[in-house]
Amino acid sequence: MITLDRLNIVIDTINGFVWGPPMLGMLGVTGLLLTLGLVFMPWRKIGYGFRLLFDRSDPAGEGEVKPFNALMTALSATVGTGNIAGVATAIALGGPGAIFYMWLIALFGMATKYAEAVCAVRFREVDKSGKYVGGPMYYLRNGVGEFAPGLGKWLGLAFAVFGAVAAFGIGNAVQVNSMAAVLGDSFSVPTWVTGSVVAVLVGLVVIGGIRRIGEVAGRLVPAMVVLYVIGALIIILINIVEIPAAFGLIFTHAFTPSAAMGGFAGAAVAAAVRFGVARGVFSNESGLGSAAIAHAAARTNSPVRQGIIAMLGTFIDTLVVCTMTALVILTSGAWTMTGADGAGLTGAVLTATGFQTTLPGGQYIVTIALAVFAFTTILGWSYYGERCWQYLFHEKSLWVYRGFWVLAVLTFANVKVELVWNLSDTLNGLMAIPNLVGLLLLAPMVFKVTNDYFDAESQDRTDE
């Protein structure tokens, strides 16, 4: 008889492969090849990207939402538990050196996220309702399908199946369960109350589709990111004398084993690489292809412009928000502390301890941030999941998916989700495989449209 515990062990074994060296290597190699092929454009054009993002002129082109709101929708799904609990877990299991590899995978992941958005806009479609839809399933079918129809069709189908199911785990169950737990611990809110309120709020938003999700995300995400970063900066400034030592820990332990300290058990360099890369990808989702679904709905006439805006998501998520979390944990000394059980701290508890140790009441910043980030992640992933559902079935059946989505919010607030978390990790990894294959096959197209865009930009400046 197969029990849940045995099933969990099987899934853990599968995850060891799905998120093992081959997958992490494939993510890194894809990002490296795209970065080199783009001649480091994502690094060179960060400033240009922010100018495009905050351009107040009405964007030219067809689409459903403003480019800014498309990015906020994507960020709503990526800025979440990974930025708070994921960073802490990376440090707890891989040592401070894990942050170096988190940065590294993010730097190359910017090119991956750029390519995903370029392909999403280039190969998007208009459905029967007149709405723009796109993402990996479309650019795999329409892009890869131009020269390998059979391969493109099956890659697109695989991504859509994995995406539609995985959304209920990583984008729903894990988020609402984390929110219910943290609100219950900090403010004694019953889990059923959290589940009921969140289900109603999510239902009111998702019924309006991408436009309403984009509007809500466009307000909540920037406000919460700013609040969280300001709180972290206050703590970092209080502990400013510890900043050089914190960076020293990151760079030293990236190449040498982390010795056991306080509640920290120590970690090898291999652990720093593994957990830094894995948690970095979990946080910014570069390579999974999910954010491309949101960027496909952007109101734009240029795949390259939206791609440049899209790559900022990885920069903001990992190189800004995750770095703030890491510096709070390291400068406060929380990473060497122990819990009531005598073991080292990890997850959101470690981050909250880092805030509380330096700033009395600082743990509530983490609580509120985690709750809001979890809520916006539910919104972002609801859109990702329903676009995959629509690809598999029909847009007229979206009400079925939305109904199941709201019901899942209500249900998963009250149950333990370890099995769901592990299964979601598996499905997320499986999502990445067809997406990365497609990106490598479509890379020459990405390089060409990028060169054409900047050649035209250069010509326009010359003509002026």
Side-chain angles (χ1 to χ4, degrees):
M1 181 178 178
I2 299 178
T3 64
L4 288 179
D5 287 340
R6 289 183 179 178
L7 184 58
N8 212 19
I9 292 172
V10 171
I11 294 173
D12 272 336
T13 303
I14 296 173
N15 277 345
F17 170 77
V18 172
W19 286 106
M23 170 58 74
L24 298 181
M26 188 175 181
L27 286 163
V29 168
T30 302
L32 174 62
L33 292 177
L34 289 170
T35 300
L36 294 175
L38 293 167
V39 198
F40 300 95
M41 182 278 293
W43 302 0
R44 294 184 288 107
K45 296 295 182 179
I46 291 175
Y48 177 68
F50 277 105
R51 289 196 297 273
L52 290 179
L53 179 64
F54 295 110
D55 185 355
R56 293 184 176 275
S57 61
D58 192 36
E62 301 294 329
E64 301 300 314
V65 296
K66 293 181 179 179
F68 177 85
N69 282 352
L71 176 62
M72 291 304 108
T73 301
L75 275 176
S76 73
T78 54
V79 177
T81 55
N83 301 80
I84 295 175
V87 174
T89 301
I91 293 174
L93 299 177
I99 302 304
F100 174 83
Y101 295 102
M102 188 175 283
W103 290 338
L104 196 63
I105 199 67
L107 284 171
F108 291 108
M110 289 176 65
T112 306
K113 189 69 71 72
Y114 167 81
E116 289 172 348
V118 167
C119 292
V121 175
R122 171 68 176 78
F123 294 106
R124 65 185 179 178
E125 297 180 359
V126 179
D127 65 18
K128 293 182 178 179
S129 302
K131 296 179 180 178
Y132 279 81
V133 292
M137 52 281 195
Y138 291 93
Y139 61 69
L140 290 170
R141 183 182 67 188
N142 301 335
V144 175
E146 287 183 354
F147 52 86
L151 177 62
K153 175 184 177 181
W154 286 108
L155 287 175
L157 182 64
F159 180 90
V161 170
F162 295 140
V165 180
F168 278 96
I170 199 66
N172 189 314
V174 171
Q175 305 301 328
V176 71
N177 196 262
S178 298
M179 188 191 307
V182 74
L183 291 177
D185 291 342
S186 297
F187 301 110
S188 300
V189 179
T191 56
W192 69 267
V193 171
T194 299
S196 300
V197 172
V198 174
V200 171
L201 293 176
V202 167
L204 292 173
V205 176
V206 302
I207 198 171
I210 182 60
R211 292 186 181 180
R212 189 173 298 173
I213 292 173
E215 289 171 0
V216 173
R219 290 176 172 83
L220 276 181
V221 174
M224 199 63 248
V225 168
V226 169
L227 174 63
Y228 183 77
V229 169
I230 288 176
L233 281 174
I234 291 174
I235 293 173
I236 292 169
L237 287 174
I238 293 174
N239 297 324
I240 194 166
V241 294
E242 301 296 331
I243 292 294
F247 279 102
L249 286 170
I250 291 171
F251 288 107
T252 299
H253 293 302
F255 305 102
T256 58
S258 302
M261 295 177 62
F264 178 65
V269 174
V273 175
R274 176 188 172 188
F275 291 106
V277 172
R279 289 301 145 191
V281 172
F282 175 81
S283 176
N284 61 54
E285 297 179 13
S286 294
L288 298 188
S290 49
I293 300 173
H295 289 289
R299 194 181 307 145
T300 183
N301 59 4
S302 171
V304 172
R305 287 174 67 91
Q306 194 59 35
I308 293 172
I309 290 174
M311 74 186 192
L312 297 178
T314 298
F315 180 86
I316 294 169
D317 178 275
T318 305
L319 297 176
V320 176
V321 182
C322 286
T323 297
M324 293 295 102
T325 300
L327 289 178
V328 166
I329 292 171
L330 295 177
T331 60
S332 66
W335 71 289
T336 62
M337 296 180 183
T338 58
D341 59 358
L345 302 176
T346 188
V349 174
L350 173 54
T351 304
T353 301
F355 274 78
Q356 183 181 15
T357 299
T358 305
L359 189 66
Q363 72 272 22
Y364 295 114
I365 296 176
V366 176
T367 297
I368 295 170
L370 188 61
V372 174
F373 287 160
F375 176 71
T376 57
T377 298
I378 293 172
L379 297 182
W381 270 95
S382 72
Y383 181 70
Y384 296 165
E386 70 175 48
R387 288 284 78 81
C388 291
W389 175 275
Q390 177 178 339
Y391 182 86
L392 295 169
F393 300 104
H394 192 280
E395 60 260 33
K396 289 185 178 179
S397 68
L398 286 178
W399 65 271
V400 176
Y401 192 88
R402 290 171 180 170
F404 278 124
W405 189 263
V406 174
L407 184 61
V409 170
L410 189 60
T411 302
F412 286 121
N414 300 285
V415 299
K416 297 299 181 182
V417 292
E418 182 181 358
L419 175 63
V420 177
W421 181 286
N422 287 336
L423 183 58
S424 299
D425 274 351
T426 302
L427 292 169
N428 279 344
L430 294 175
M431 283 170 61
I433 294 173
N435 181 56
L436 293 173
V437 171
L439 290 178
L440 291 172
L441 293 173
L442 294 172
M445 180 278 296
V446 174
F447 301 152
K448 182 180 185 304
V449 297
T450 303
N451 291 334
D452 290 346
Y453 175 84
F454 285 108
D455 286 345
E457 285 270 299
S458 179
Q459 185 61 49
D460 288 343
R461 288 194 295 270
T462 301
D463 292 342
E464 292 174 0

